[in-house]
Amino acid sequence: MSQGVTCRRLCRRVAHRRWFWLVLVAAIAVWSSHRTILTCIGGLVVVDERPVHLDLIWIRESGSRIYDVVASMFLESPRRRLVMIPHRPSRLIRAGICEPLESVSRRELAIRGVPTTRFEILGTPVRNWNEELRQLADWLEGLPDAGLVVPCSRFGSACLRQAINRVMPPGVVMRVKVVAVADPRYDETNWWQSRVGVRSMLYALLSRAYSWCGVSVNDECEEWDPDTYERSLSALAAQGLQ
Amino acid sequence: MTRLRWACFALVAVGGTLSFVLGARNRLLPCVANWLDVGETPRRADFVLPLGGDLNTRPFVAAALLKCGFANKVLVPRVPRQPEAEERIVAPHHELVARILMHRGVPIDKIMFLGERNDSTYDEAQSLHEFLRNSPASRVIIVTSFFHTRRARWIFARVLGESMKQVSFGAAPWEGFNADTWWWREEGFCFIVLENLKFGAYLVFYGGVVYWITAAVIIIAMAFAWIKRRHNSYSVGEALDADAA
């Protein structure tokens, strides 16, 4: 029986050593291929589709690189149309602090040789993403053969694709293509090397996870009123609670 | 049989915990956001400093604090210049903050720019530290989003050191979600989860928590090895007794 005990001990030691070497080899393998692993993770948030049939370019974001891409697509075939869906003006736009997307886009595209007459503003001002997609889908259903492309930020492309697939009807989804525009500071092959890249990646991954869960989104959001806040502060100051 | 029992127990424990969290989410989840909010009731100061990163509420809160007499001047952190093509589309952040302040009635002589290259909260803390060296008696209210106050306070405490007692924090709301319903919206979910992850990362990488974690892992491994050795010696003892019998 004592031989049995010794044999059990030996077997346990062999098993422990095996686990140790397995973990060590796995750690070395992960470390040596960490670049590949992180690039694969980066690929989860990027969707870049090259449209075959392109009639419409949807502008929904600003940025000099996005305008470069839009201008190059338009100048390839000037018969293409540029479309935009207006959003309800934010506080900063109403105050004249920031320009609305439409005026920025017209100006920037004019600098890049795109005539402003090719711009079309569709529908009524929307409050959020879902309304924007629904309005666009309704409009596209009236153009059964038109293909539409939307250039967007690289790490937001997968989320946009997910939202398009979720909100738009199947007949329209196939005709909408997402083009991921590169950011000069980082992309899916080097995002971990900069703080802004890591932050953008984490945000994009969380966004994807949230969309994937299909959580019901409360689209309505009450706007914060700075005047009300100021009145409450005045009351506080008047009470002498300083 | 013992392993199966442990596996069943673990399954029941995990399932029970998840069910509890899901059932009590409306009470538990706000705590995740409220924990991040360490904003204080405003008190009289010399300066108010709205941190960069949000234009929708922070500059408005700073303007309100100044107009209601809680501060005399506003410090606006300068950000690095961007390429001309980008600046044509969006003006630099500090210029937009100054425009907002003036739009809200703050006189231009009450606006001062702080630092040269404020890329992060840490840079802003460094700039304020430099400023307070030249104005050692000044008190400052730092305004940032409610979920950012805890991490900002931690960073400023590490940089300012003794000068931290001259500083208080004001929490600005975030337009889009609040602490009680942040998980209803994608933006709220991403920001609150990310802020918790960031704060944890800061504690580990900059706060020396990595040493505590390493010590805890070593202690747990030693305890586990000791328990296993005792269990083995009991098994050997029982086997020898059985052999003698």
Side-chain angles (χ1 to χ4, degrees):
Chain A
M1 189 60 84
S2 61
Q3 271 184 345
V5 167
T6 310
C7 185
R8 270 207 302 277
R9 271 190 183 166
L10 276 172
C11 289
R12 233 178 264 128
R13 271 191 203 151
V14 166
H16 287 159
R17 269 193 211 136
R18 201 179 295 153
W19 273 112
F20 170 75
W21 284 112
L22 209 65
V23 167
L24 189 64
V25 166
I28 291 171
V30 165
W31 176 250
S32 54
S33 58
H34 73 277
R35 200 186 169 88
T36 310
I37 293 169
L38 291 170
T39 303
C40 289
I41 292 172
L44 293 174
V45 299
V46 176
V47 165
D48 197 3
E49 301 163 321
R50 293 292 144 184
V52 173
H53 178 52
L54 169 56
D55 307 291
L56 306 160
I57 306 169
W58 174 24
I59 300 169
R60 61 183 304 276
E61 291 178 35
S62 69
S64 64
R65 294 214 153 224
I66 288 187
Y67 292 130
D68 289 340
V69 167
V70 169
S72 71
M73 284 182 177
F74 179 83
L75 294 171
E76 271 172 16
S77 171
R79 290 177 62 176
R80 289 171 181 161
R81 292 150 68 185
L82 304 173
V83 298
M84 230 178 84
I85 296 174
H87 276 247
R88 275 203 197 159
S90 68
R91 182 183 307 117
L92 296 182
I93 291 173
R94 292 196 305 267
I97 310 280
C98 294
E99 283 183 86
L101 180 62
E102 185 195 335
S103 56
V104 172
S105 302
R106 283 185 193 272
R107 184 185 68 235
E108 289 298 314
L109 290 171
I111 291 170
R112 290 162 173 81
V114 176
T116 56
T117 48
R118 303 298 298 175
F119 235 88
E120 283 180 55
I121 306 296
L122 306 177
T124 53
V126 297
R127 289 168 299 183
N128 52 59
W129 213 354
N130 284 345
E131 270 190 31
E132 188 180 16
L133 290 171
R134 278 186 220 116
Q135 216 170 94
L136 183 66
D138 292 341
W139 184 74
L140 280 174
E141 278 179 333
L143 298 168
D145 297 323
L148 179 138
V149 70
V150 49
C152 67
S153 60
R154 200 154 186 87
F155 283 6
S157 54
C159 254
L160 178 58
R161 182 75 253 175
Q162 213 167 6
I164 290 168
N165 293 347
R166 189 180 67 234
V167 174
M168 291 187 170
V172 171
V173 161
M174 301 305 296
R175 297 192 276 132
V176 176
K177 300 295 178 192
V178 173
V179 169
V181 176
D183 190 309
R185 297 168 297 174
Y186 55 85
D187 60 24
E188 60 270 33
T189 62
N190 61 9
W191 57 268
W192 58 91
Q193 294 173 2
S194 64
R195 233 168 31 90
V196 65
V198 171
R199 198 168 54 217
S200 302
M201 173 56 67
L202 285 176
Y203 191 94
L205 285 172
L206 287 170
S207 222
R208 264 220 93 174
Y210 191 86
S211 303
W212 181 77
C213 288
V215 176
S216 162
V217 173
N218 184 354
D219 288 335
E220 276 301 325
C221 173
E222 201 179 306
E223 196 174 285
W224 177 73
D225 183 12
D227 294 324
T228 307
Y229 179 80
E230 204 169 301
R231 281 194 291 274
S232 67
L233 267 187
S234 294
L236 193 64
Q239 284 170 20
L241 289 170
Q242 304 184 39
Chain B
M1 190 60 192
T2 308
R3 274 192 190 166
L4 184 62
R5 202 181 295 166
W6 275 112
C8 291
F9 175 74
L11 205 63
V12 167
V14 167
T17 307
L18 275 174
S19 306
F20 172 72
V21 168
L22 275 170
R25 65 184 182 279
N26 287 338
R27 289 187 179 233
L28 290 176
L29 291 178
C31 298
V32 175
N34 284 324
W35 176 78
L36 294 170
D37 185 357
V38 295
E40 304 161 52
T41 305
R43 51 179 195 259
R44 193 77 179 76
D46 303 296
F47 298 94
V48 57
L49 166 60
L51 297 186
D54 172 43
L55 290 170
N56 286 316
T57 55
R58 295 178 197 178
F60 291 87
V61 169
L65 284 167
L66 187 128
K67 286 165 68 182
C68 294
F70 286 98
N72 296 328
K73 291 194 174 184
V74 183
L75 296 172
V76 179
R78 260 196 213 94
V79 296
R81 307 292 309 192
Q82 295 184 78
E84 192 198 320
E86 293 298 336
E87 285 201 352
R88 207 172 49 220
I89 296 169
V90 180
H93 189 274
H94 58 269
E95 284 184 21
L96 292 173
V97 171
R99 280 188 217 168
I100 293 169
L101 292 170
M102 287 190 285
H103 171 75
R104 293 298 295 174
V106 174
I108 194 166
D109 58 336
K110 300 280 189 183
I111 301 173
M112 292 172 61
F113 290 102
L114 183 72
E116 289 299 327
R117 295 185 59 87
N118 295 292
D119 264 328
S120 63
T121 309
Y122 182 77
D123 291 339
E124 287 165 329
Q126 293 277 28
S127 298
L128 183 64
H129 186 46
E130 206 51 51
F131 177 83
L132 288 176
R133 270 201 206 142
N134 298 327
S135 311
S138 300
R139 290 163 299 167
V140 183
I141 301 173
I142 295 175
V143 173
T144 187
S145 305
F146 72 92
F147 53 86
H148 185 232
T149 49
R150 184 173 281 273
R151 185 164 58 95
R153 189 179 69 175
W154 189 86
I155 293 169
F156 274 83
R158 289 182 72 82
V159 173
L160 297 182
E162 279 295 309
S163 306
M164 190 63 187
K165 54 182 180 283
Q166 295 161 240
V167 162
S168 62
F169 279 81
W174 185 275
E175 204 152 49
F177 63 90
N178 58 37
D180 295 326
T181 56
W182 58 270
W183 63 97
W184 288 3
R185 297 175 65 86
E186 182 179 311
E187 189 189 23
F189 174 81
C190 292
F191 274 113
I192 296 297
V193 172
L194 204 54
E195 191 58 39
N196 277 289
L197 289 175
K198 276 187 196 174
F199 190 55
Y202 269 67
L203 287 178
V204 169
F205 292 113
Y206 305 123
V209 169
V210 67
Y211 303 116
W212 291 103
I213 292 173
T214 307
V217 165
I218 290 171
I219 289 169
I220 289 169
M222 285 171 65
F224 184 71
W226 180 76
I227 290 169
K228 216 141 168 34
R229 183 172 269 195
R230 282 200 68 177
H231 177 74
N232 289 344
S233 60
Y234 282 139
S235 305
V236 167
E238 282 167 8
L240 288 175
D241 287 343
D243 195 21

